[in-house]
Amino acid sequence: MKATDLHKLNIAIVGAGYGGAAAAKALSLLGATVNVYEQASQVREVGAGIGLRPSTMDRFRQWGSFDAISAVSSPSDTFEILTADNNPIMEEAWPGINDFEVETKTHLIHRGDFIDALLSVLPEGMVHLGHKLTGIEDKGATSVLTFANGTVVEADLVIGADGIKSVVRKALFGDNQPVFSGEHAYRAVISMDEAGDMINDDNLRMYIGRGTKVYLLPLRHRNQLSFDITALCPDSTWAPEVSKEQLLATVAGFDARIVKMAQNLDMDTVSIRAVYDINPVEKWHTDSVVIMGDAAHAMLHHQGQGANSAIMDAGALADALVEADSVKAALALFQATRKPVTDELQRISRSGWSEDELNEVFPGQKPASQSKVQV
């Protein structure tokens, strides 16, 4: 689209999470008028770490946001996989994004710091909190949003970045309900001192035992460690109650230092969630509405690509608006560019457990997300 057309574009983004905030930054740089509507009264994230891949960090460099992200993250050179008792299985360097290796490190960051950094680079007044979407009317060239507080907004482009339970997706693109993966995620941030000699660099490590994966993700800039456990479990309650004894049972047989870290956890500080994704959504857009991030392709966290995919969506959407000659054409180009990538990531992420591990926890059956490992 021509610069003059982009400057006339009025964009409404539903959701101020990773994807929504990144899209707001990328699209505002094109000269469009952008407003973000978030249902929560404040934007916050659970206390855990994630890794921002080289391609993601390069997008932040393009948008002038690299320094804000880098200041609250720790660069990692490699990712290592080990057995439960600390024997190496493999170690790989993070892939560079191109032959010139503009960015080769994955930046490890606390989720809360990440969302704060994303929002900090947006113009004041762009994000509107306390706006819970209750309805959307697609009028073709524009769409109208209605919020629970009585606000009504009409925009040339509406972006649904409203997560796995997306209201925009349900209204316009199909009622793809969250699918239980058959696993729980237990996430906590602890002092680096509590990790002892298990952490001697800034690299991500994953320890694999029967039905359990333990991630140790250093947050060196905080002198903290993101201590994450993913365990097979048949309880599909969205926010299950889990005792210290139950958590310890998931790491039985792991390196004694990991067991000790689990023993020392204050359960009140542990985020406990059942893990869900969605089945692939056939179409992501109309002529003036598009979904992105978890709203379009929520995936399991085995590949560590959920947040990265949302950021890459934001970049691809901005690129498409520049390249195409209309909003309608741009949304079609965006889906054609991103959906094959995220379909494959969803498929791979569902392949996280062996047949023996599944049978041990789900004898004679499989959780819904594992019944067909395909998209």
Side-chain angles (χ1 to χ4, degrees):
M1 295 174 66
K2 296 178 180 179
T4 52
D5 294 329
L6 290 170
H7 289 179
K8 295 176 184 177
L9 203 58
N10 180 24
I11 300 174
I13 300 175
V14 182
Y18 306 140
K25 179 63 176 179
L27 298 175
S28 64
L29 289 173
L30 300 182
T33 298
V34 180
N35 285 281
V36 183
Y37 300 93
E38 166 60 41
Q39 68 173 351
S41 59
Q42 57 180 323
V43 182
R44 60 175 63 182
E45 285 289 342
V46 298
I50 55 175
L52 302 177
R53 300 295 176 86
S55 55
T56 302
M57 293 303 297
D58 193 55
R59 279 294 187 181
F60 291 133
R61 181 180 280 105
Q62 294 171 24
W63 300 332
S65 306
F66 183 92
D67 289 346
I69 304 297
S70 180
V72 290
S73 63
S74 299
S76 166
D77 294 311
T78 64
F79 171 48
E80 189 173 2
I81 301 176
L82 306 98
T83 64
D85 54 357
N86 202 36
N87 289 313
I89 296 175
M90 60 158 282
E91 182 175 8
E92 289 188 356
W94 300 106
I97 61 170
N98 56 38
D99 292 339
F100 299 102
E101 295 186 344
V102 172
E103 179 62 52
T104 60
K105 297 180 185 296
T106 284
H107 285 245
L108 308 181
I109 191 169
H110 187 284
R111 291 169 184 261
D113 293 343
F114 184 35
I115 195 64
D116 287 347
L118 286 174
L119 295 175
S120 73
V121 298
L122 298 181
E124 186 175 353
M126 182 177 284
V127 178
H128 308 274
L129 302 177
H131 283 68
K132 181 179 181 180
L133 184 68
T134 56
I136 179 170
E137 179 188 1
D138 184 351
K139 299 172 66 176
T142 64
S143 289
V144 178
L145 301 174
T146 303
F147 298 93
N149 61 8
T151 301
V152 177
V153 173
E154 186 166 3
D156 304 310
L157 171 59
V158 169
I159 300 170
D162 51 341
I164 191 171
K165 297 181 180 180
S166 171
V167 175
V168 178
R169 183 184 69 237
K170 183 176 181 179
L172 298 177
F173 303 107
D175 191 11
N176 289 50
Q177 289 293 312
V179 178
F180 179 49
S181 66
E183 40 191 5
H184 285 177
Y186 312 125
R187 299 182 172 112
V189 174
I190 63 176
S191 166
M192 194 70 81
D193 295 337
E194 294 181 62
D197 60 357
M198 288 211 82
I199 305 299
N200 53 20
D201 55 33
D202 294 335
N203 296 320
L204 174 63
R205 289 176 174 81
M206 179 176 72
Y207 299 79
I208 301 178
R210 178 67 72 183
T212 299
K213 297 176 182 177
V214 174
Y215 300 84
L216 300 184
L217 189 150
L219 302 169
R220 184 72 61 181
H221 57 288
R222 280 171 157 252
N223 195 35
Q224 290 181 324
L225 176 73
S226 185
F227 179 37
D228 303 351
I229 300 169
T230 299
L232 286 168
C233 184
D235 180 5
S236 62
T237 306
W238 194 270
E241 294 186 6
V242 175
S243 68
K244 172 69 76 66
E245 289 71 27
Q246 289 172 306
L247 186 146
L248 288 175
T250 67
V251 295
F254 276 71
D255 186 288
R257 295 167 294 180
I258 291 176
V259 175
K260 183 178 179 181
M261 281 189 275
Q263 289 173 333
N264 290 338
L265 285 176
D266 176 354
M267 294 301 288
D268 289 337
T269 67
V270 180
S271 169
I272 302 172
R273 291 290 184 270
V275 181
Y276 285 80
D277 68 357
I278 60 172
N279 289 323
V281 180
E282 182 178 349
K283 189 170 184 180
W284 293 359
H285 68 91
T286 64
D287 290 354
S288 60
V289 181
V290 67
I291 52 176
M292 61 170 289
D294 281 356
H297 48 68
M299 60 189 68
L300 305 183
H301 61 266
H302 301 303
Q303 302 301 312
Q305 285 286 9
N308 288 282
S309 292
I311 306 305
M312 298 307 288
D313 282 355
L317 182 56
D319 291 347
L321 284 167
V322 171
E323 184 174 340
D325 59 6
S326 67
V327 170
K328 177 181 177 180
L331 300 186
L333 175 59
F334 166 67
Q335 176 173 322
T337 301
R338 290 295 297 157
K339 184 169 165 54
V341 177
T342 60
D343 278 356
E344 179 65 5
L345 285 173
Q346 285 184 297
R347 185 192 68 79
I348 295 172
S349 296
R350 281 189 171 184
S351 308
W353 303 101
S354 72
E355 198 72 26
D356 287 344
E357 288 173 319
L358 287 171
N359 286 335
E360 188 170 294
V361 179
F362 299 87
Q365 60 178 328
K366 294 180 181 180
S369 73
Q370 298 285 339
S371 58
K372 291 183 179 180
V373 185
Q374 59 184 12
V375 294

